[in-house]
Amino acid sequence: MSKNRLSLVIALVVTVAVLAGGWFLGVQPQLAQAASNGTQQETIDATNDRNRTELERLAKANESLDSTKAELAKLQASLPSTADTDPFVESLNGFATSSGVTITSVTIGDPEQYVPVSTTAAGTATASPSASASATPAPGSTAAPTAAATPQAADPHSDPLITSSNFSVISVTVAVDGSYDQALAFTQAAQSGARLFLVSGIAATSTDEKPPMEAQSWSLTGTIYVLADSGTTPAKG
């Protein structure tokens, strides 16, 4: 091999080595970095999309924030976390004035622990198959009428969040003087007040012999409620 050709081969080998070295030392790391940057960008874009969606959701929720706060305040007034009954009695006085009755007494009991209702309905008795099979009347005899099945009441509603430790019941009795229509208007107003008042009974208490519709004295019985905040227990009184 001539000297010139050997020099050319050596030069080619050196060139390939330089190119290979440049690839591993320069181009390949840059390509790897570019690929890594592309993966990071995809992650960033996905995070930004999630954040954008969450911001849109929060913006929509913020539009109804005032109404949500108003609804919460209404519910808290309906079922307060304390047994303070002064605002309730004041509201009764206002209802009495607007309906034309005169309150003669208000009796409020101590808070009593709520007793969760049972959701287990009573079972119904059913005849056994053997009894049904043997109930075939004999020839010439008259079959006895079959008793109708007893209707079953629907299961009472219960909520696991309402327990005896956070929910209390307070009995209320209100005596008023007024006509039947006035007493009825007072009852409807009392049940529509800010605090939940469930009237369970209204009775005439006049001492004269007037018919109930013409009586002038009435007694309302019902209950109000206390829903304690988490970790607190309603105080008595």
Side-chain angles (χ1 to χ4, degrees):
M1 179 181 294
S2 65
K3 185 177 182 180
N4 290 336
R5 181 171 294 180
L6 180 59
S7 298
L8 180 59
V9 171
I10 294 173
L12 290 174
V13 171
V14 171
T15 301
V16 170
V18 171
L19 292 175
W23 168 263
F24 289 107
L25 296 177
V27 177
Q28 195 275 339
Q30 293 296 327
L31 291 176
Q33 183 63 39
S36 176
N37 291 342
T39 302
Q40 292 178 358
Q41 186 62 46
E42 291 177 357
T43 302
I44 293 172
D45 291 341
T47 302
N48 288 340
D49 290 339
R50 289 195 298 269
N51 292 340
R52 190 177 301 107
T53 301
E54 180 64 12
L55 288 174
E56 292 175 354
R57 186 190 69 81
L58 293 175
K60 291 181 179 180
N62 185 65
E63 294 175 357
S64 59
L65 181 61
D66 291 340
S67 61
T68 301
K69 287 182 177 180
E71 182 66 18
L72 175 60
K74 182 179 179 181
L75 293 174
Q76 289 175 334
S78 179
L79 291 173
S81 60
T82 67
D84 181 18
T85 57
D86 289 342
F88 172 68
V89 174
E90 292 178 3
S91 67
L92 292 180
N93 291 328
F95 299 144
T97 300
S98 61
S99 59
V101 301
T102 300
I103 296 179
T104 58
S105 68
V106 177
T107 304
I108 299 178
D110 290 332
E112 297 181 1
Q113 287 185 333
Y114 163 75
V115 179
V117 295
S118 173
T119 57
T120 303
T124 57
T126 57
S128 65
S130 59
S132 299
S134 61
T136 304
S141 62
T142 302
T146 303
T150 303
Q152 295 299 310
D155 290 344
H157 175 73
S158 63
D159 191 325
L161 297 179
I162 303 299
T163 66
S164 57
S165 62
N166 66 2
F167 197 61
S168 300
V169 181
I170 303 176
S171 61
V172 177
T173 302
V174 185
V176 300
D177 288 342
S179 67
Y180 172 79
D181 290 338
Q182 290 173 331
L184 184 59
F186 173 76
T187 303
Q188 292 174 339
Q191 292 190 111
S192 304
R195 185 160 188 172
L196 177 62
F197 179 34
L198 177 62
V199 175
S200 55
I202 177 171
T205 59
S206 297
T207 57
D208 52 29
E209 297 181 357
K210 290 183 178 181
M213 295 294 290
E214 298 179 9
Q216 296 297 310
S217 297
W218 307 86
S219 177
L220 280 69
T221 56
T223 48
I224 56 178
Y225 308 91
V226 177
L227 181 60
D229 292 333
S230 177
T232 63
T233 302
K236 290 187 176 182

